[in-house]
Amino acid sequence: MKLRTKITAVAALVILIAAAISDGVIWSICRRSMLGEAKQTLFGQTVMLQSKYEEFQMHYQGTLRDAERRFFFKQYGSDYVICLRGKQEIFNQTVLTPEDLQNMKLSNQHYGQPAAVGEMRIRGHSLLITKIEQPDALKIYVVYDLADVTRRLRRLALGMLGVLLGVGIPAVIVLHLLLCRTMKPFGVLSDSAKQIAAGAYEKRAEISSRDEIGLLAKDFNKMADAVQDKIAALTDSEKRKTMFMADFSHELKTPLTAISGYAQTLRTVNLSVDDQEEALGYIYSESRRLDRLAKKMMRLMQLDRTESLQMTEIDCQSLLDSVLATCKPIAEHQGIRLQTARCSGAVQGDFDLLHDALCNLTENAVKASTAGQTVTLCAENGMITVRDEGCGIPADEIKNLTEPFYMVDKSRSRSAGGAGLGLSIVRMILQLHGADMAIESTVGKGTDITLKFPQ
Amino acid sequence: MSKRILIAEDDAAIARLIAMNLKAAGMESVLFPDGEAAALSLPADHRYDLAILDIMMPKKDGFALFQDINPYGIPVIFLTAKDDLDSKITGLQDGAEDYIVKPFEMLELLVRMEKIMSRTQKPADTLTVCGLSVRLDEHRVLRGEQEIPLKPMEFELLVTLAKHKNTAISREDLLVLVWGVNYLGETRTVDVHIGQLRKKLGLQKQIVTVPKIGYRLEDETRPEDVP
């Protein structure tokens, strides 16, 4: 059952019971007061009759006969007086018989009441009766028909029921409508929740009220924001992983295709000596490429597993000298001058890893340069810069540089022996150090890569 | 006239590998290291019988290059490491003749190329190999003016060897290519027919047994020697 139906039903029931109880109480008060009034009237009539009768009796001085009595009763209340002697009816024009009166129970005569009074229902009549015992063995009953009181009470009851229904039903309807209005935001909330569950993570509940529902909606939207962010992050990381796997398998397949293709060709095709030499050369160089790729992958995985480093204070001068010593042969082989400048200060870190990262950057700088150009390493204020005068990197490529297997110029990097993993490795090493990498480059003029270490 | 094949492939090792094999099969290949270079050369020279395109290439990818090649009516094979369904469907729906995923078998590439070229071009009536003229439509083999009678399967075997001249074909592959079924373990059939061909055509030296692989029909007439 819907909440609003439930609340409406409960409210309707409570209203009904409360109204019924209060109506019942009012009705019974009214009834008592009407009965009291009727009793007073009856007593009045009784007293009046009694005094008149005594006066009448006095007038005849004890010689009153039944004929006179009948005359008297006919004069004063023919339709509500009964006069009996024993069981003999002297005067009776009412619906009652002497037997009825015999069975009647009378209450004791209270103080202040002129006569004993009794109530009886008989043959569809509701009657109030007083009894006066006369010294001459006569019993006089005064009967008061409560039909009028009953009718008035019934009318009152009907009126109350009418008011109860006439006010209660519209009230319940209005309550229901109000509840529908109040509950509407829940419907909106529920719809949004369903849509979000179905995958529309950008959906939000649009509820502007400032009550508890509004607060709930606000919290709900906060939750949806968090879910959306998390899902986006997960999707992104999943996408990266898929991309990585796709790129990795591509990087694997290409050399493998070449190696197996050349081997098969050597086995089956009747090649000239030159072609045979070329095929063997490719098999060798492609397997070297696979070897490099495997080593770099191992390095990446190793770094990925590393959680914290043994940090020591490293003197920049000795770090850069060591990098210079490692990279000099490659640079000189390509006719590029490699130098250090302004080495001062120290950084916190792992010497071997930083040496690795800087060698990677230096090799990249050398690859980007042409013979006769200079690659400069310098260190200042916790920053280490690798500067080249080479080909530069287009601005829109810079943000992709650290993606695994990303190469600005694939054929050129491959022929220079790259696998596209160098900068990914550098990035991971820097992450472990809490350091940043800034790349500034102008196409045709050269590139500055600056590593900024936390102070 | 030898077939001319366009190869757009950014990996020099793969490009040279295909070119070497095509040369051995008597075809001429023109290599391009990226899509743009290939596209730019097309207006001046588009006399190709087939194009083999890599998809992931610098400057212009294979799909884009395909749009440039298509107007010249050159049949295209995509040869790529991308083996996701989307790329395959895109490639084939665009109208490429075939889609081959790396790593690939060279023989498979050659057979597929041959099928495509026989479908898109009028097949050659006559193959000339080792001084023999093999008339495909007439099912006859002539040395000079003299006909050499061959049984149907011997003829088919000769045609297959001639089409893939200078390349060794394994007994299993020959069974599939000539007999068209997997005669598992029945490679003796191939040896018997090879023996018959050698004897009837006098090609004891030209039909070479390659140890552990199969047979190769060697024909020293190189593409560059063809007038």
Side-chain angles (χ1 to χ4, degrees):
Chain A
M1 205 197 290
K2 278 189 175 169
L3 189 58
R4 57 170 181 256
T5 321
K6 238 184 236 177
I7 293 179
T8 311
V10 169
L13 200 67
V14 169
I15 290 173
L16 193 74
I17 290 172
I21 289 174
S22 69
D23 280 3
V25 168
I26 291 168
W27 187 79
S28 76
I29 290 171
C30 284
R31 181 174 177 272
R32 192 179 293 176
S33 102
M34 279 183 191
L35 278 178
E37 258 171 47
K39 243 178 220 170
Q40 288 309 317
T41 314
L42 179 59
F43 287 153
Q45 279 176 344
T46 312
V47 170
M48 181 86 96
L49 187 74
Q50 198 167 12
S51 69
K52 283 272 173 25
Y53 183 72
E54 274 164 12
E55 206 178 293
F56 190 67
Q57 212 170 21
M58 210 103 85
H59 188 73
Y60 283 89
Q61 296 186 333
T63 59
L64 197 63
R65 284 172 304 161
D66 287 351
E68 277 91 19
R69 287 192 182 102
R70 276 194 204 102
F71 172 74
F72 172 79
F73 289 128
K74 209 160 191 167
Q75 290 271 244
Y76 295 97
S78 58
D79 52 346
Y80 59 90
V81 178
I82 303 165
C83 183
L84 298 180
R85 180 181 293 117
K87 281 187 182 175
Q88 188 208 339
E89 261 181 23
I90 293 168
F91 181 86
N92 184 8
Q93 289 188 345
T94 67
V95 294
L96 296 172
T97 60
E99 286 76 33
D100 296 334
L101 295 167
Q102 212 94 66
N103 299 334
M104 184 178 70
K105 280 202 183 95
L106 286 174
S107 66
N108 292 323
Q109 189 177 350
H110 291 290
Y111 175 76
Q113 281 184 353
V117 66
E119 227 186 307
M120 76 184 299
R121 296 181 60 86
I122 193 157
R123 290 190 285 282
H125 293 274
S126 197
L127 302 168
L128 207 56
I129 299 169
T130 50
K131 181 182 171 189
I132 313 162
E133 304 257 5
Q134 288 293 315
D136 49 0
L138 279 179
K139 284 180 217 158
I140 299 172
Y141 296 90
V142 180
V143 179
Y144 186 91
D145 195 339
L146 288 173
D148 189 40
V149 171
T150 317
R151 205 176 56 243
R152 274 165 64 201
L153 280 174
R154 188 177 298 145
R155 236 178 24 218
L156 180 67
L158 280 174
M160 282 174 154
L161 191 68
V163 170
L164 176 66
L165 295 181
V167 174
I169 291 173
V172 167
I173 291 172
V174 168
L175 176 71
H176 190 76
L177 291 178
L178 279 176
L179 278 174
C180 284
R181 240 184 101 90
T182 318
M183 294 294 171
K184 209 173 166 190
F186 282 115
V188 174
L189 210 56
S190 161
D191 282 348
S192 317
K194 269 181 217 151
Q195 279 169 334
I196 290 173
Y201 297 109
E202 72 290 346
K203 271 275 164 199
R204 291 293 174 271
E206 278 164 25
I207 297 168
S208 51
S209 63
R210 268 187 241 158
D211 52 8
E212 287 89 338
I213 299 175
L215 288 178
L216 177 63
K218 224 170 167 185
D219 291 342
F220 175 85
N221 285 345
K222 256 187 224 161
M223 182 190 78
D225 284 343
V227 168
Q228 190 182 10
D229 288 352
K230 276 273 172 335
I231 293 282
L234 273 178
T235 318
D236 195 46
S237 107
E238 199 53 37
K239 213 161 148 192
R240 268 165 197 275
K241 268 183 200 154
T242 317
M243 279 285 290
F244 181 86
M245 286 317 289
D247 290 343
F248 179 55
S249 67
H250 180 254
E251 290 304 310
L252 270 185
K253 269 183 194 171
T254 317
L256 271 180
T257 306
I259 291 169
S260 70
Y262 280 112
Q264 185 69 6
T265 304
L266 282 171
R267 260 158 60 98
T268 56
V269 180
N270 164 16
L271 291 175
S272 64
V273 177
D274 286 352
D275 283 352
Q276 280 179 17
E277 285 294 326
E278 192 185 346
L280 285 169
Y282 275 123
I283 289 178
Y284 180 68
S285 65
E286 293 296 296
S287 43
R288 284 296 301 272
R289 186 166 134 197
L290 272 182
D291 185 47
R292 274 197 305 275
L293 180 66
K295 276 186 184 140
K296 290 249 168 87
M297 279 299 290
M298 288 288 284
R299 191 92 182 100
L300 258 183
M301 265 140 84
Q302 208 179 11
L303 285 171
D304 201 27
R305 278 200 301 271
T306 311
E307 274 163 12
S308 63
L309 294 176
Q310 283 287 334
M311 300 284 233
T312 50
E313 179 137 326
I314 299 166
D315 177 43
C316 288
Q317 180 76 55
S318 60
L319 178 64
L320 293 193
D321 283 346
S322 145
V323 173
L324 201 68
T326 312
C327 298
K328 202 138 199 171
I330 310 167
E332 277 172 356
H333 181 71
Q334 296 183 29
I336 292 155
R337 212 160 74 84
L338 189 61
Q339 63 177 23
T340 58
R342 286 175 312 190
C343 295
S344 65
V347 292
Q348 291 287 323
D350 180 304
F351 188 93
D352 289 339
L353 287 183
L354 286 182
H355 178 264
D356 239 32
L358 286 169
C359 280
N360 247 310
L361 293 176
T362 310
E363 276 170 28
N364 281 348
V366 168
K367 276 180 210 162
S369 306
T370 46
Q373 291 177 329
T374 310
V375 173
T376 312
L377 303 172
C378 62
E380 257 179 336
N381 310 325
M383 291 196 277
I384 300 177
T385 305
V386 179
R387 173 171 302 141
D388 69 58
E389 301 162 343
C391 56
I393 305 158
D396 54 334
E397 308 260 17
I398 287 181
K399 64 180 190 309
N400 295 325
L401 275 182
T402 55
E403 290 296 323
F405 304 115
Y406 192 86
M407 295 176 231
V408 176
D409 185 342
K410 270 196 177 177
S411 344
R412 189 190 160 107
S413 322
R414 285 229 191 90
S415 53
L421 286 174
L423 281 177
S424 297
I425 292 174
V426 172
R427 185 180 62 171
M428 284 189 97
I429 292 175
L430 292 180
Q431 266 171 6
L432 288 171
H433 284 83
D436 282 332
M437 176 163 66
I439 302 173
E440 274 173 53
S441 185
T442 316
V443 174
K445 290 210 170 155
T447 306
D448 274 22
I449 297 185
T450 306
L451 313 183
K452 293 175 184 164
F453 289 85
Q455 293 291 326
Chain B
M1 196 168 70
S2 70
K3 307 268 189 213
R4 232 171 144 245
I5 313 293
L6 180 148
I7 302 173
E9 164 69 65
D10 64 331
D11 195 307
I14 304 281
R16 281 293 299 142
L17 171 67
I18 300 170
M20 251 180 224
N21 279 277
L22 294 188
K23 190 169 102 183
M27 290 182 246
E28 187 190 337
S29 38
V30 181
L31 308 187
F32 293 98
D34 61 69
E36 200 176 74
L40 288 176
S41 79
L42 275 172
D45 180 12
H46 46 263
R47 196 179 50 78
Y48 296 106
D49 297 290
L50 189 82
I52 300 172
L53 309 184
D54 187 12
I55 291 177
M56 288 188 281
M57 281 188 292
K59 291 177 190 166
K60 191 167 212 166
D61 71 13
F63 292 139
L65 177 58
F66 176 80
Q67 299 304 331
D68 295 322
I69 289 181
N70 209 21
Y72 296 103
I74 303 168
V76 166
I77 296 178
F78 281 117
L79 180 65
T80 173
K82 277 169 89 83
D83 70 345
D84 57 305
L85 192 62
D86 275 355
S87 303
K88 283 182 195 172
I89 289 173
T90 311
L92 291 173
Q93 262 181 353
D94 277 1
E97 293 293 333
D98 214 333
Y99 190 105
I100 301 174
V101 177
K102 293 178 194 171
F104 59 96
E105 283 291 329
M106 196 48 76
L107 183 64
E108 185 190 346
L109 176 65
L110 291 173
V111 170
R112 282 176 191 257
M113 286 172 65
E114 182 197 310
K115 288 272 181 225
I116 289 164
M117 288 191 284
S118 73
R119 197 163 59 230
T120 54
Q121 294 162 2
K122 195 169 151 286
D125 296 336
T126 309
L127 289 171
T128 311
V129 69
C130 303
L132 294 169
S133 129
V134 184
R135 297 198 171 165
L136 296 171
D137 46 350
E138 296 168 12
H139 258 248
R140 291 201 304 170
V141 181
L142 301 168
R143 184 185 291 285
E145 288 300 310
Q146 194 190 348
E147 181 175 350
I148 303 166
L150 288 180
K151 287 181 185 160
M153 278 317 178
E154 292 166 356
F155 181 80
E156 292 295 336
L157 181 59
L158 175 64
V159 169
T160 304
L161 288 172
K163 277 182 180 168
H164 303 285
K165 62 181 179 180
N166 291 321
T167 298
I169 307 176
S170 72
R171 293 176 176 82
E172 288 77 12
D173 286 339
L174 281 173
L175 272 175
V176 175
L177 290 170
V178 178
W179 281 265
V181 268
N182 277 313
Y183 270 48
L184 273 178
E186 289 293 329
T187 50
R188 279 289 301 155
T189 316
V190 178
D191 298 337
V192 170
H193 281 78
I194 291 283
Q196 290 294 320
L197 275 185
R198 278 179 176 149
K199 209 163 83 187
K200 286 186 180 172
L201 302 171
L203 296 176
Q204 277 83 355
K205 273 191 189 149
Q206 284 85 345
I207 299 181
V208 181
T209 307
V210 186
K212 290 184 188 170
I213 297 178
Y215 298 100
R216 176 165 66 208
L217 177 64
E218 293 190 349
D219 180 12
E220 292 309 316
T221 331
R222 294 272 166 192
E224 48 267 38
D225 305 333
V226 175

